[in-house]
Amino acid sequence: MKETPCELCIQPGGDVVYRDDNYRIVIVDDERYPGFCRVIWNAHAREMTDLSTAERAILIAAVWQVEEAVREVMQPHKINVASLGNVVPHLHWHIIPRYEDDAHFPNPIWGEVKRTPDSTDLAKRRAMVPRLREAILDRFDNSLL
């Protein structure tokens, strides 16, 4: 039986902000969640334990640096960090700024919608995304990761 090509092996998974030999950082175009980022391992791997200890350290350090940038720029109430891979079994981490007035709060963004976010608040958050891109680049252009 032929296996379906992996979506994250053939597509970037979002707007690529930074890429090196190991991983890429993308900003996801999600109208309800401006500032939603992913850190995606470049080579196909399904689980963290598919990576060497050194590779795991590199990847998780990148996740924390993206979380710091999202927290600094987007000023969310909370940040969700998740690695699920149930739909796309390619190692990637979601870094999602959360607000008490977002569409799903306090549920995960993949859960039941609780409310319609205020369009003015969403527009303000979308306006911060270029600064988030700069903050990520600043961190990774000067990083040893």
Side-chain angles (χ1 to χ4, degrees):
M1 191 159 98
K2 192 173 184 182
E3 200 170 311
T4 306
C6 172
E7 178 181 331
L8 292 177
C9 285
I10 58 176
Q11 296 178 10
D15 177 24
V16 178
V17 175
Y18 177 85
R19 182 184 184 104
D20 70 13
D21 292 340
N22 296 306
Y23 58 84
R24 62 192 178 269
I25 299 164
V26 303
I27 296 178
V28 177
D29 184 18
D30 187 317
E31 67 182 29
R32 293 186 294 192
Y33 293 96
F36 179 162
C37 296
R38 288 188 189 112
V39 179
I40 304 166
W41 194 251
N42 290 329
H44 187 77
R46 294 173 68 92
E47 310 297 344
M48 286 292 285
T49 51
D50 291 338
L51 305 182
S52 70
T53 301
E55 290 170 328
R56 287 193 300 262
I58 289 168
L59 179 57
I60 207 66
V63 170
W64 300 145
Q65 282 191 301
V66 172
E67 180 188 323
E68 283 179 339
V70 169
R71 188 174 183 191
E72 173 190 308
V73 174
M74 302 303 294
Q75 298 289 303
H77 172 76
K78 182 73 177 95
I79 296 178
N80 290 171
V81 177
S83 178
L84 304 172
N86 297 335
V87 176
V88 181
H90 181 118
L91 190 54
H92 64 286
W93 286 82
H94 303 271
I95 299 95
I96 310 160
R98 299 298 308 277
Y99 303 88
E100 290 177 323
D101 64 349
D102 74 36
H104 295 88
F105 198 87
N107 290 346
I109 69 164
W110 300 282
E112 178 186 346
V113 173
K114 295 288 190 179
R115 69 194 60 75
T116 301
D118 181 87
S119 60
T120 304
D121 290 336
L122 285 173
K124 288 177 187 173
R125 292 174 191 152
R126 274 192 292 277
M128 292 187 277
V129 171
R131 174 65 191 114
L132 175 59
R133 173 185 270 287
E134 290 173 18
I136 290 169
L137 279 172
D138 287 347
R139 277 177 172 74
F140 286 87
D141 282 345
N142 299 311
S143 174
L144 297 175
L145 298 179

